[in-house]
Amino acid sequence: MKATLAVTGLVLIGLVVGWYYLAMKKPEVAQPTGGQVTTEKYESGTHGVSFSYPSTYAVEERDLEINGTNGHFITLMRKADVVPANGEGGTAMTVAIFNNRQNVPLADFLQNLKSLTPEPTTGWDYTEASVAGKEGIAYSGTGLYESDNVAVAGTGKVYLFSTSWLTREDQILKDFDALLKSVQLTNE
């Protein structure tokens, strides 16, 4: 009797461990031969922006209104990162394009988006930055993840480039830097 219970217990433990392993395993994303990751190009004449990104990312777009300000959000998430139903996603890069027809100064524009996340970790202190030859501001934020954010003003628009990360060694920070270097603002 004890031997039967012990065997049954071991079998149950094995099933639970096997189920956990399969449930938590992330799908493999095929890498191009030679270890090189290829890039793809995003282009939008409507929003006046183009950039390159690694082919290991999936792109999702949506329109959203924040405090009466219309925005278009382009989110890039690694294809290997599975988002659970009704759950939080992994780290991501986002390009948000907001209408700014009144040409509100950039820092004021960002401060007016009170629900803009992530909120800067150092209050609303910015450093200078540039994207596609346009001067802008950069700030770091914290929330579910840490984030780096760069914003520039265009003609009647604000472009906000953001990435979330867990550690400063994360590959997404290198991918974000490459994305920023590839940006072209086509309606400027």
Side-chain angles (χ1 to χ4, degrees):
M1 178 71 172
K2 287 184 181 180
T4 304
L5 286 175
V7 170
T8 303
L10 288 174
V11 168
L12 287 175
I13 290 172
L15 289 172
V16 169
V17 169
W19 172 84
Y20 180 80
Y21 173 78
L22 290 174
M24 299 310 286
K25 185 177 178 182
K26 292 187 178 188
E28 297 288 326
V29 174
Q31 293 292 326
T33 57
Q36 295 285 333
V37 174
T38 59
T39 59
E40 295 186 30
K41 187 161 187 145
Y42 173 90
E43 294 182 81
S44 173
T46 302
H47 299 293
V49 67
S50 69
F51 54 85
S52 297
Y53 62 94
S55 59
T56 54
Y57 285 80
V59 176
E60 180 180 302
E61 297 185 68
R62 70 185 185 286
D63 292 315
L64 188 63
E65 183 181 307
I66 298 177
N67 291 340
T69 302
N70 294 323
H72 184 73
F73 290 76
I74 307 156
T75 303
L76 297 99
M77 184 177 280
R78 286 179 356 114
K79 293 175 183 175
D81 292 343
V82 176
V83 180
N86 300 320
E88 296 288 339
T91 57
M93 297 183 283
T94 302
V95 178
I97 303 120
F98 296 99
N99 291 325
N100 184 17
R101 291 187 183 96
Q102 286 86 23
N103 292 313
V104 175
L106 188 56
D108 294 340
F109 184 90
L110 292 174
Q111 288 178 4
N112 289 336
L113 293 174
K114 296 295 184 200
S115 60
L116 177 69
T117 58
E119 189 169 308
T121 52
T122 57
W124 287 97
D125 294 329
Y126 300 103
T127 59
E128 293 180 3
S130 67
V131 176
K134 292 205 122 337
E135 294 302 314
I137 54 179
Y139 66 92
S140 295
T142 190
L144 181 60
Y145 300 106
E146 301 301 312
S147 72
D148 289 345
N149 310 276
V150 180
V152 296
T155 306
K157 296 182 182 190
V158 168
Y159 297 89
L160 176 60
F161 303 87
S162 301
T163 189
S164 54
W165 49 272
L166 292 170
T167 70
R168 280 283 173 198
E169 292 76 37
D170 289 354
Q171 178 63 41
I172 197 166
L173 290 169
K174 294 175 187 135
D175 297 339
F176 184 62
D177 186 50
L179 182 145
L180 288 176
K181 289 177 181 172
S182 74
V183 170
Q184 294 181 353
L185 301 177
T186 55
N187 291 346
E188 299 301 314

